[in-house]
Amino acid sequence: MSPKGRDILKSMVGSVEPARPEAPSVPPPHRPSGAVKAMNLSLGRLGEEAAAAKALRESLASGDKVLEIDAAAVEMSFIRDRIPVDQDSEFERLKQSIQDSGQQVPILVRPDPVKAGHYQAAYGHRRLRAAAELGVPVKAVVRKLTDEELILAQGQENGPRVDLSFIERALFARRMDEHGFSRDMIARALATDKPETSRLLQVAQTIDPEIILAIGPAPKVGRPRWLAFAEKFRETGGQKKAQAAIRAASFEALETNGRFDAVWKVLEEKSPPQRDEQTLRTSAGAPLASVSRAGKTFRITVKSAAFSEFLAQRLAGLAVEFEEENDRK
């Protein structure tokens, strides 16, 4: 954010009050307007800042107060929307910005419904994590929110952002569905229509969460490739292939988009035909031959010289018998 933008936000926030045991009663959450979709990442971030500033102005105008809260007293939302990654350069930049210039935009929290004196975050999880790692209080607006209001606020705050990937939205939809939210509610939280909500759930409910979390957000991978990935995963042996891929020694060294490509490559590989194998034995249990089938291939491996001679003498007769049987059909 530009110095001028920071100055504007600071003037809007004004003096910050310390957190009180009881959160002030405030009006129902105001639905923030979304930033215009950007043509590229750079413009998208400017849109985010503008949307955040507008939401803050509206929040303060409605009477909300910005409080300083011990970051350790704030829990993440009961439904996570982001997929954590090992190396997050954007988070490191955010953390450095907060360390240098302070937290410019407050997060939204609600009083914890179970733990007195604690809170649950609706949005601003990265700012919360940055404050916790820096050991500083987090600036927050406290509102009394139902589960539905919290999820709507969380989804709508993510709506205009360009850095939430398709699979993060899909996993968020699955978690809401598992929590018992209706399809209408999920669509509202994701600011999408029902067909797109169905596609998101189709992908997230087909692919094991273990595989999704191992791959990560994969921001360069969009809906078409994830839908194709889900189809491959659904095929016989797809799940085992994917699990083997994420356990490969080289997998962890890859960045998230490369991890998707690595698993996709394994899913595309043709599986060798399944072999149906049995052993022929004498009544006394001595092995005579092993017989295996793989597709159209039928193989006999003889383990007895006497049985080998026996078969050789009868092969010509078996061929004649086969032809006669086919003629009768």
Side-chain angles (χ1 to χ4, degrees):
M1 182 177 291
S2 65
K4 182 177 179 181
R6 287 196 294 268
D7 292 340
I8 292 173
L9 286 174
K10 286 180 180 178
S11 67
M12 288 160 43
V13 174
S15 59
V16 178
E17 299 184 11
R20 303 189 187 96
E22 292 294 329
S25 177
V26 297
H30 184 88
R31 181 181 298 177
S33 61
V36 177
K37 287 290 184 179
M39 291 299 292
N40 55 51
L41 188 59
S42 176
L43 289 177
R45 299 201 191 290
L46 292 175
E48 283 184 45
E49 293 176 358
K54 182 177 180 182
L56 178 57
R57 285 197 303 272
E58 293 174 347
S59 178
L60 295 176
S62 68
D64 289 337
K65 294 181 180 180
V66 180
L67 309 177
E68 278 193 348
I69 300 175
D70 181 0
V74 184
E75 310 234 348
M76 298 289 187
S77 168
F78 61 94
I79 298 182
R80 298 294 299 273
D81 52 7
R82 285 186 176 273
I83 299 176
V85 294
D86 299 331
Q87 296 181 347
D88 189 344
S89 59
E90 289 299 318
F91 171 74
E92 293 303 323
R93 277 194 283 271
L94 171 65
K95 183 177 171 182
Q96 187 63 48
S97 173
I98 292 176
Q99 185 173 34
D100 294 342
S101 307
Q103 180 189 338
Q104 303 303 317
V105 180
I107 68 173
L108 176 63
V109 302
R110 72 172 179 179
D112 192 295
V114 178
K115 297 181 183 177
H118 284 71
Y119 304 87
Q120 285 182 345
Y123 60 69
H125 294 91
R126 288 156 68 86
R127 280 165 273 166
L128 171 61
R129 179 185 159 201
E133 292 188 8
L134 291 170
V136 298
V138 63
K139 296 176 184 177
V141 170
V142 180
R143 289 180 181 166
K144 293 180 180 179
L145 303 171
T146 64
D147 286 355
E148 290 78 8
E149 289 170 335
L150 185 144
I151 289 301
L152 279 176
Q154 182 178 352
Q156 289 164 2
E157 193 262 355
N158 285 335
R161 293 192 348 205
V162 296
D163 59 345
L164 267 185
S165 68
F166 175 86
I167 198 62
E168 284 179 307
R169 288 164 57 80
L171 194 56
F172 187 35
R174 171 174 174 157
R175 288 166 173 168
M176 284 189 281
D177 182 69
E178 291 174 344
H179 202 272
F181 289 110
S182 68
R183 291 293 178 94
D184 286 341
M185 182 67 185
I186 296 171
R188 288 176 62 198
L190 292 169
T192 189
D193 56 23
K194 288 185 179 179
E196 179 66 6
T197 301
S198 295
R199 285 188 285 265
L200 290 165
L201 287 169
Q202 175 188 341
V203 169
Q205 291 174 344
T206 298
I207 307 169
D208 287 351
E210 175 195 9
I211 304 298
I212 294 174
L213 293 174
I215 291 173
K220 295 182 181 179
V221 183
R223 180 180 68 194
R225 294 188 71 197
W226 274 112
L227 286 169
F229 186 104
E231 287 297 321
K232 291 286 185 183
F233 188 86
R234 193 181 288 115
E235 292 176 1
T236 303
Q239 183 176 8
K240 289 184 177 180
K241 286 182 179 180
Q243 288 174 340
I246 67 172
R247 292 186 176 91
S250 59
F251 184 78
E252 287 190 8
L254 299 171
E255 54 84 34
T256 177
N257 296 294
R259 290 182 177 187
F260 176 93
D261 291 337
V263 181
W264 173 257
K265 182 178 179 181
V266 171
L267 288 178
E268 280 196 307
E269 293 176 354
K270 296 292 183 182
S271 300
Q274 297 294 314
R275 291 186 176 276
D276 179 16
E277 189 166 337
Q278 66 182 72
T279 300
L280 298 177
R281 299 178 182 274
T282 64
S283 58
L288 294 174
S290 61
V291 180
S292 64
R293 288 175 178 268
K296 295 181 179 180
T297 303
F298 182 81
R299 178 176 296 173
I300 300 177
T301 304
V302 180
K303 300 180 179 180
S304 163
F307 188 60
S308 175
E309 184 64 25
F310 176 83
L311 285 176
Q313 292 175 2
R314 283 165 174 74
L315 283 177
L318 287 172
V320 172
E321 185 179 340
F322 170 75
E323 288 184 336
E324 291 175 349
E325 183 70 24
N326 277 347
D327 290 341
R328 285 195 293 271
K329 292 179 181 178

